[in-house]
Amino acid sequence: MTEVNITFAKEFFLLGFSDLPNLQEFLFLIFLIIYLSILMGNGLIIVITKVEPSLQTPMYFFLGNFSFLEICYTSVTLPRILTDLWTQKRIISFLGCATQLFFILILGVTECFLLTVMAYDRYVAICKPLYYSLIMNHKMCVWLVIGSWTIGIPILIGLTYQIFSLSFCGSNKLEHVFCDIPPLLKLACGDISAEVFSIYIDAGLFAMFPCIFIFGSYAKIIATILKLPSANGRYKAFFTCSSHLMVVSLYFVSACISYLMPKSSQSSATEIVLSLFYTIVTPVFNPLIYSLRNKDFIMAMRKLLPKCV
C-alpha cells in the first residue's frame, strides 16, 4: 500500500490577481473607484426613493431595497479584494471563508427573488392596472421584501455546512478573489457528487425558477403592451420594463454560467471574470440603468440635489 501525505486546510490563500504583480496598485485603484461608485450611486437611489414624495410607489420601494442589497452584496467581496491587493497577504481563515460564502449565497438568492418581485410588480401594473393598488398594497410589498431576504436562509445554511464539511486536502490555494463554490470544489478530495447534486437543486430552486417566472411575466407584459392603442403608451411601457430586463439579463446569465457549467470546462480566469460580473458589474450599472433611463427619477434628483448643496 502506498502512503499518501494529506494535509487538511485550516486557511485558504486567495490567489486571485497574484499572477499580475505589476498591476496590483492599478487594480486596487480600479476596484476602489468601483466600490465608491457603487456606494454613492446606490446610496443616492435609496435616499431619493425615501425622501421624494412622488416616488413613494411600490416600484421605487422595491428599487430602494434592491439598491441596499447591491451595497451589501459588494461589501461582502470588494473590501476583502481591496485588502488583499493592498497587503498582498491573501490569507483567509476557514471560518472566514465559510462566512463569506454564506453571505454571498444568501445575498445572491435575495437578488434573484427581489428581481422576481420587481417583475411581478411590473406585470400587475401593466396587465392588471385596475387591481394594482389593491394587490400591491404596502403590506404586501413589505412581506414580499421580507420573503425575498429570508426564504433561502435555512437551505443555504445547510448547503454552506455541506460544502465546508468536505475534506480540503493537499493544496489550500483558491484560484479566485473570494470564497465561492466552484473554486472550493476544485480543492475538495473524495466523492463530491452529493454536493454537486445539491448545488444543481438549489440553483434550480433559487435561480432557474425565478428566471423562468421573470421571463414568463415579461412575455405576458409584452403581449399586453402590443395591444395598447396608443403608440406613446406602448413606448412608455417598453421603456419602463427595459431597465429591469437589462439588470435581469446581466445578473442571471453570468451567475448561471458560473454555477451551472461543469467546473472542468472553465478556466480560473473565466471563473473570476464571471464572478466579478454578477457580484460587481451589475451593482455598478444598477444606478445608471435605473436612474439615467427614468424621467421621474431624474426630476426627483434635480429637485433634491440643489437642496443638499
Side-chain angles (χ1 to χ4, degrees), residues 122-135 224 228:
R122 292 299 83 208
Y123 164 76
V124 176
I126 294 174
C127 299
K128 299 182 179 181
L130 298 179
Y131 299 97
Y132 182 72
S133 58
L134 182 64
I135 296 173
T224 302
L228 294 176

Side-chain angles (χ1 to χ4, degrees), residues 34 36 49 70 96 101 104 115 118 138 155 166 190 259 301:
I34 289 173
L36 293 176
T49 54
E70 297 287 53
L101 177 63
I104 288 171
L115 288 171
M118 294 167 78
H138 181 69
I155 295 176
L166 293 169
Y259 276 87
M301 191 162 55

Side-chain angles (χ1 to χ4, degrees), residues 245-265:
L245 271 176
M246 289 173 67
V247 174
V248 168
S249 300
L250 282 171
Y251 182 76
F252 275 102
V253 171
S254 56
C256 287
I257 292 174
S258 180
Y259 276 87
L260 297 181
M261 279 185 64
K263 64 179 187 298
S264 59
S265 65

Side-chain angles (χ1 to χ4, degrees), residues 131-149:
Y131 299 97
Y132 182 72
S133 58
L134 182 64
I135 296 173
M136 302 304 293
N137 56 70
H138 181 69
K139 185 177 180 181
M140 173 61 75
C141 294
V142 171
W143 277 112
L144 286 172
V145 169
I146 292 173
S148 298
W149 279 90

Side-chain angles (χ1 to χ4, degrees), residues 18-164:
S18 60
D19 57 339
L20 302 171
N22 297 326
L23 295 177
Q24 300 298 297
E25 294 180 358
F26 175 74
L27 289 171
F28 176 84
L29 182 61
I30 292 297
F31 281 112
L32 180 62
I33 293 172
I34 289 173
Y35 188 45
L36 293 176
S37 300
I38 291 170
L39 293 178
M40 290 188 292
N42 287 283
L44 182 63
I45 290 179
I46 294 170
V47 171
I48 291 180
T49 54
K50 285 289 184 183
V51 302
E52 176 56 40
S54 64
L55 301 183
Q56 303 302 307
T57 63
M59 182 176 76
Y60 293 105
F61 173 73
F62 296 135
L63 178 57
N65 278 275
F66 185 71
S67 296
F68 175 71
L69 170 67
E70 297 287 53
I71 291 175
C72 295
Y73 204 3
T74 52
S75 296
V76 174
T77 56
L78 267 176
R80 176 81 216 187
I81 294 172
L82 291 170
T83 301
D84 290 340
L85 288 170
W86 182 260
T87 63
Q88 300 295 306
K89 291 183 178 179
R90 307 181 188 280
I91 299 174
I92 185 169
S93 67
F94 190 88
L95 179 60
C97 189
T99 303
Q100 187 182 54
L101 177 63
F102 171 72
F103 280 107
I104 288 171
L105 292 176
I106 192 62
L107 292 171
V109 167
T110 302
E111 181 149 349
C112 290
F113 281 105
L114 266 182
L115 288 171
T116 305
V117 166
M118 294 167 78
Y120 178 68
D121 173 67
R122 292 299 83 208
Y123 164 76
V124 176
I126 294 174
C127 299
K128 299 182 179 181
L130 298 179
Y131 299 97
Y132 182 72
S133 58
L134 182 64
I135 296 173
M136 302 304 293
N137 56 70
H138 181 69
K139 185 177 180 181
M140 173 61 75
C141 294
V142 171
W143 277 112
L144 286 172
V145 169
I146 292 173
S148 298
W149 279 90
T150 59
I151 192 170
I153 290 177
I155 295 176
L156 295 176
I157 289 175
L159 179 61
T160 306
Y161 177 80
Q162 191 176 15
I163 295 294
F164 282 90

Side-chain angles (χ1 to χ4, degrees), residues 150-191:
T150 59
I151 192 170
I153 290 177
I155 295 176
L156 295 176
I157 289 175
L159 179 61
T160 306
Y161 177 80
Q162 191 176 15
I163 295 294
F164 282 90
S165 295
L166 293 169
S167 297
F168 298 101
C169 48
S171 174
N172 62 343
K173 295 178 180 179
L174 280 175
E175 296 181 354
H176 215 280
V177 291
F178 56 82
C179 291
D180 204 358
I181 290 178
L184 282 167
L185 291 181
K186 288 183 178 180
L187 300 186
C189 55
D191 183 18

